[in-house]
């Protein structure tokens, strides 16, 4: 993959502002300029950014319906009603259920939890789930990370004498379900100042409000913040404002004293003894929590997350790890099949979107395949599979393009749909796929910008290896964490570097390059790793100079040393 590099050198005014801010907070002008470009221009704003405080969390009662939701929960407990905590089968839903269930269980015993079966019940509120609630005497369902579109199902529950409190973050329709309370910061009539909470985040705010109303110390919620961090990372919501506070303190909890179930996953992942980052959650912890819902039933993940016995948790984590291995095999096979289809579609090269379907693809993995295709082809992508006479699918998007709006434009063809800007799910009749593809592609053609379909790498700063190898710079960089959407890990570039003579191709399939490089400006030598870029090895070994874009990382195999993770390699004569 060769990217188009996007780099704007700082203006003289930005350089001066960075120098002044850097002097005030004791930070290099290079990193101070990164703060300024993130909109952090004052000493006090920098302190808030680097030291997020739980005291700065937003008052939960600013969210529409929060007072109604807390009153209904208090009434249920006062009347000793049975409560069901119900959630989606993905990471966000499972962590949300674990958080709310674990917190309420400390004060109330007549409580249960439920995760629908992806293959038997499908996404969101199901009649089977409501019937289970009715059979077990449930009077109140707290639904997390779904429910905002479940108008008919929640009306059915109401007929059965069951109330709903919805805690969701997906975009609502004009008409909303007949729930007692709907907690969703994306409601048009909601003045809550932060709109980008994940489902687990909305559940946390509900519990924060419940605790505040009942005189329960906030400290009782802190041990559950690791669930928030896992959810924020895995659901790829912006790591800004309130999410930054929750993620910062959630990661602290995850590293110092994680819940038993998460500790077992950390053990299974081989992350013990390491400082766990948001990236570790995205690539290692999250996929394992997701795996049971993708392959079998997500309830197994919640069983693990609420487990209090470490030996039992390890056994459950090992079982879920097996699901993840199966998922990876299916994912690889389906992605290869999808790539072959795309390669055969000559006209696809000129199209701004991809819509693929295969009746044999596994429903639980199509979202991952859609993500893979989006990364490879830089096109909004919909992947569909067959379920009787229906097509169910997942959509993923590219930076800056609202795939939810594109799907909504075809709503008259859809039986069900939901999601947000970068990810959505949908169901339609199998016979309507061709019309959907035509209409979806037309919408994308009309609304997408050419640069949104290009592989663009945003460069934050140009530095030499002397700066890159600075311990101070590396330590200050860590203070920018947690990283994620809205606060991406800084990407640096160094121009005119050479192979030191020892770079080599590595990996099981010889797909990576382990690099030792020297730059022509400082003559410093740096170690690096370029994943999946072995095609550049011949050029590197030709003794010609080239430019690199990279992030600066800890070398986990050499404690205390720094390694460059190379994002792109290009000949020096290409203009920046």
């Amino acid at each position: 993959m060769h990217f188009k590099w996007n780099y704007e050198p700082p203006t003289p005014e930005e350089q001066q502002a960075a120098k002044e801010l850097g002097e005030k907070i004791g930070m290099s002008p290079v990193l101070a300029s990164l703060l300024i470009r993130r909109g952090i221009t004052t000493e006090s704003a920098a302190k808030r950014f680097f030291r997020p405080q739980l005291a700065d969390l937003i008052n939960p009662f600013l969210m529409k319906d929060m007072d109604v939701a807390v009153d209904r929960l208090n009434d249920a407990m006062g009347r000793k009603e049975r409560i069901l905590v119900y959630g989606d089968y993905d990471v966000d839903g499972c962590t949300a259920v674990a958080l709310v269930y674990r917190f309420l269980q400390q004060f109330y015993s007549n409580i249960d939890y439920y995760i629908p079966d992806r293959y038997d019940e499908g996404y969101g509120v199901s009649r089977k789930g409501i019937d289970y609630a009715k059979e077990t005497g449930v009077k109140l369902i707290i639904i997390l990370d779904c429910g905002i579109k479940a108008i008919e199902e929640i009306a059915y529950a109401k007929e059965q004498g069951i109330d709903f409190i919805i805690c969701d973050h997906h975009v609502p329709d004009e008409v909303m379900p007949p729930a007692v309370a709907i907690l969703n910061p994306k409601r048009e009539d909601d003045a809550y100042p932060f709109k980008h909470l994940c489902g687990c985040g909305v559940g946390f705010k509900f519990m924060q409000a419940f605790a505040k109303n009942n005189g329960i110390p906030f400290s009782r919620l802190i041990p559950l913040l690791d669930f928030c961090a896992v959810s924020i990372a895995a659901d790829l919501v912006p790591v800004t404002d309130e999410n930054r506070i929750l993620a910062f303190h959630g990661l602290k909890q995850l590293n110092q004293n994680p819940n038993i179930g998460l500790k077992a996953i950390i053990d299974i992942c081989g992350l013990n003894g390491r400082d766990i980052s948001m990236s570790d959650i995205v690539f290692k912890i999250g996929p394992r929590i997701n795996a049971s819902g993708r392959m079998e039933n997500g309830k197994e993940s919640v069983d693990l997350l609420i487990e209090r016995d470490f030996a039992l948790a390890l056994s459950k984590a090992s079982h879920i790890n097996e699901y993840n291995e199966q998922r990876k095999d299916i994912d690889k096979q389906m992605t290869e099949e999808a790539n072959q289809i795309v390669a055969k579609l000559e006209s696809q090269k000129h199209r701004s979107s991809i819509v693929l379907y295969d009746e044999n693809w596994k429903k639980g993995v199509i979202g991952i395949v859609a993500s893979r295709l989006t990364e490879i082809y830089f096109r909004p992508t919909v992947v569909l599979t067959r379920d009787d006479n229906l097509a169910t699918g997942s959509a993923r998007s590219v930076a800056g393009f609202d795939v939810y709006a594109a799907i909504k434009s075809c709503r008259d063809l859809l039986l069900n749909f939901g999601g947000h800007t970068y990810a959505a799910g949908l169901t339609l009749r199998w016979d309507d796929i061709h019309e959907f593809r035509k209409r979806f592609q037309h919408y994308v053609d009309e609304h997408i910008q050419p640069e949104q379909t290009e592989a663009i790498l945003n460069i934050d700063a140009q530095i030499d290896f002397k700066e890159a190898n600075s311990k101070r710079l590396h330590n200050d960089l860590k203070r920018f964490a947690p990283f994620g959407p809205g606060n991406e890990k800084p990407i640096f570039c160094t121009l005119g570097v050479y192979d030191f003579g020892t770079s080599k191709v590595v990996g099981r399939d010889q797909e990576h390059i382990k690099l030792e490089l020297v730059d022509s400006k400082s003559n410093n030598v740096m170690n690096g790793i370029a994943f999946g870029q072995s095609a550049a090895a011949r050029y590197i070994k030709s003794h010609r100079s080239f430019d690199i874009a990279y992030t600066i990382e800890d070398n986990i195999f050499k404690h205390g040393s720094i390694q460059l993770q190379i994002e792109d390699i290009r000949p020096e004569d290409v203009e920046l």
Side-chain angles (χ1 to χ4, degrees):
M1 172 72 65
H2 285 287
F3 292 88
K4 178 181 178 182
W5 290 15
N6 178 32
Y7 174 61
E8 292 182 19
T11 64
E13 292 79 14
E14 285 177 327
Q15 288 177 326
Q16 182 59 32
K19 181 176 180 292
E20 291 172 6
L21 180 61
E23 286 171 356
K24 287 176 185 172
I25 62 175
M27 184 168 279
S28 72
V30 169
L31 296 188
S33 71
L34 299 190
L35 283 178
I36 287 169
R37 290 197 168 179
R38 281 163 167 73
I40 299 160
T41 58
T42 65
E43 185 178 359
S44 60
K47 284 179 179 174
R48 283 196 304 275
F49 179 77
F50 288 128
R51 292 197 290 273
Q53 300 296 312
L54 289 169
D56 290 333
L57 288 172
I58 300 164
N59 178 358
F61 285 101
L62 293 179
M63 194 178 292
K64 178 90 173 164
D65 278 4
M66 187 63 81
D67 52 345
V68 181
V70 171
D71 286 347
R72 181 63 185 89
L73 179 55
N74 284 334
D75 287 346
M77 289 181 163
R79 295 198 289 255
K80 295 187 167 47
E81 292 176 350
R82 187 154 183 79
I83 299 170
L84 184 67
V85 184
Y86 187 126
D88 188 22
Y89 36 62
D90 68 358
V91 178
D92 194 11
C94 289
T95 52
V97 168
L99 186 151
V100 171
Y101 180 80
R102 282 283 301 273
F103 186 68
L104 292 180
Q105 200 185 30
Q106 298 174 76
F107 315 104
Y108 192 69
S109 60
N110 195 12
I111 187 168
D112 192 8
Y113 60 93
Y114 188 89
I115 303 289
D117 185 291
R118 184 192 294 260
Y119 298 96
D120 183 35
E121 298 167 75
Y123 171 79
V125 185
S126 71
R127 290 210 169 208
K128 182 177 178 181
I130 293 167
D131 290 341
Y132 169 82
K134 177 73 173 172
E135 288 160 14
T136 54
V138 167
K139 291 294 181 184
L140 175 64
I141 296 177
I142 300 170
I143 187 152
L144 297 139
D145 192 35
C146 53
I148 200 67
K149 297 284 190 78
I151 294 171
E152 292 178 13
E153 292 82 3
I154 291 177
Y156 172 69
K158 202 171 179 181
E159 291 170 6
Q160 312 301 312
I162 300 169
D163 283 340
F164 263 81
I165 295 172
I166 297 173
C167 302
D168 205 351
H169 70 123
H170 296 99
V171 179
D173 263 343
E174 291 78 13
V175 179
M176 290 191 288
V180 170
I182 299 175
L183 307 178
N184 186 333
K186 290 193 176 81
R187 286 177 63 164
E188 285 190 4
D189 59 349
D190 194 333
Y192 194 76
F194 184 65
K195 302 297 183 185
H196 303 294
L197 292 167
C198 56
C200 186
V202 178
F204 176 84
K205 298 306 293 187
F206 184 22
M207 293 302 96
Q208 184 189 359
F210 171 79
K212 191 172 184 178
N213 180 262
N214 287 279
I216 300 165
F218 181 84
S219 58
R220 299 287 289 272
L221 281 161
I222 291 174
L224 301 170
L225 284 171
D226 50 4
F227 292 135
C228 284
V230 169
S231 180
I232 289 165
D235 219 51
L236 298 176
V237 291
V239 188
T240 57
D241 301 315
E242 191 161 41
N243 279 344
R244 179 172 173 83
I245 299 171
L246 293 171
F248 181 90
H249 290 278
L251 275 177
K252 191 174 173 184
Q253 188 71 28
L254 192 66
N255 279 292
Q256 293 177 359
N257 188 22
N259 276 284
I260 295 295
L262 288 174
K263 184 171 178 4
I265 298 173
I266 289 166
D267 272 34
I268 290 291
C269 290
L271 292 172
N272 250 340
R274 277 180 50 186
D275 190 24
I276 296 168
S277 67
M278 298 290 270
S279 181
D280 292 320
I281 296 171
V282 171
F283 294 108
K284 297 197 171 181
I285 297 172
R288 285 165 173 81
I289 297 173
N290 253 337
S292 68
R294 293 191 185 283
M295 304 306 296
E296 292 293 336
N297 190 305
K299 188 173 184 295
E300 291 184 51
S301 287
V302 181
D303 294 342
L304 166 61
L305 293 175
I306 65 169
E307 181 56 64
R308 295 175 182 274
D309 181 288
F310 187 61
L312 284 174
L314 266 181
S315 173
K316 290 175 180 176
S318 179
H319 188 53
I320 278 174
N321 195 54
E322 290 172 17
Y323 285 148
N324 193 51
E325 293 303 313
Q326 294 170 29
R327 188 272 306 165
K328 283 196 282 191
D329 290 340
I330 293 170
D331 167 19
K332 186 178 179 184
Q333 177 192 333
M334 284 172 56
T335 302
E336 286 172 359
E337 290 173 9
N339 274 327
Q340 287 169 12
I341 295 169
V342 173
K344 289 174 185 173
L345 295 173
E346 281 299 312
S347 60
Q348 195 68 59
K349 293 176 183 176
H350 311 292
R351 285 185 174 160
S352 56
S353 65
I354 295 171
V355 178
L356 296 180
Y357 55 93
D358 188 302
E359 57 186 49
N360 297 314
W361 285 341
K362 193 171 177 67
K363 193 192 295 186
V365 188
I366 53 178
I368 299 175
V369 175
S371 294
R372 296 270 189 278
L373 293 174
T374 303
E375 290 164 7
I376 294 166
Y377 296 102
F378 287 88
R379 302 286 189 274
T381 300
V382 178
V383 178
L384 299 155
T385 188
R386 189 162 190 157
D387 186 359
D388 293 328
N389 65 335
L390 302 180
T392 61
S394 288
R396 297 293 183 270
S397 195
V398 293
F401 183 78
D402 189 343
V403 77
Y404 177 83
I407 288 170
K408 189 177 180 180
S409 73
C410 309
R411 64 182 307 159
D412 58 302
L413 294 173
L414 305 177
L415 302 174
N416 195 11
F417 71 101
H420 42 79
T421 303
Y422 293 117
L426 63 156
T427 303
L428 65 156
R429 293 177 187 84
W430 186 260
D431 293 341
D432 287 339
I433 288 177
H434 294 288
E435 180 64 19
F436 169 78
R437 176 157 64 180
K438 185 173 77 175
R439 299 246 304 266
F440 178 83
Q441 289 179 337
H442 178 72
Y443 180 95
V444 178
D445 287 341
E446 291 287 310
H447 292 85
I448 202 162
Q449 301 301 311
E451 62 270 16
Q452 290 174 328
T453 60
E454 291 182 312
I456 293 175
L457 199 62
N458 291 313
I459 309 292
D460 290 280
Q462 181 182 328
I463 59 176
D464 61 32
F465 279 177
K466 184 177 181 183
E467 291 172 289
N469 204 24
S470 159
K471 265 290 181 189
R472 181 187 169 196
L473 180 117
H474 187 45
N475 289 334
D476 283 343
L477 260 181
K478 290 180 180 179
R479 296 170 63 195
F480 280 72
F483 297 111
N487 184 44
E488 305 284 355
K489 184 171 285 189
I491 295 177
F492 301 96
C493 71
T494 300
L495 309 182
V497 305
Y498 296 86
D499 175 28
F500 191 58
T502 49
S503 298
K504 60 183 178 180
V505 174
V506 296
R508 187 173 60 183
D509 299 317
Q510 300 285 283
E511 68 270 42
H512 315 308
I513 316 174
K514 193 173 185 302
L515 298 151
E516 267 197 311
L517 303 172
V518 60
D519 79 333
S520 52
K521 184 178 178 185
S522 70
N523 287 323
N524 280 45
V525 179
M526 291 291 295
N527 292 313
I529 183 77
F531 293 112
Q533 297 183 62
S534 57
R538 182 175 292 181
Y539 185 93
I540 289 167
K541 300 302 287 183
S542 71
H543 306 296
R544 288 178 286 177
S545 66
F546 51 95
D547 304 333
I548 55 170
Y550 54 87
T551 59
I552 300 173
E553 312 286 348
D554 284 316
N555 188 333
I556 59 172
F557 300 107
K558 290 184 180 178
H559 184 69
S561 67
I562 293 168
Q563 177 175 262
L564 308 182
Q565 183 166 312
I566 313 295
E567 301 294 325
D568 198 28
I569 299 167
R570 64 178 201 179
E572 190 183 16
D573 54 4
V574 177
E575 197 173 303
L576 182 61

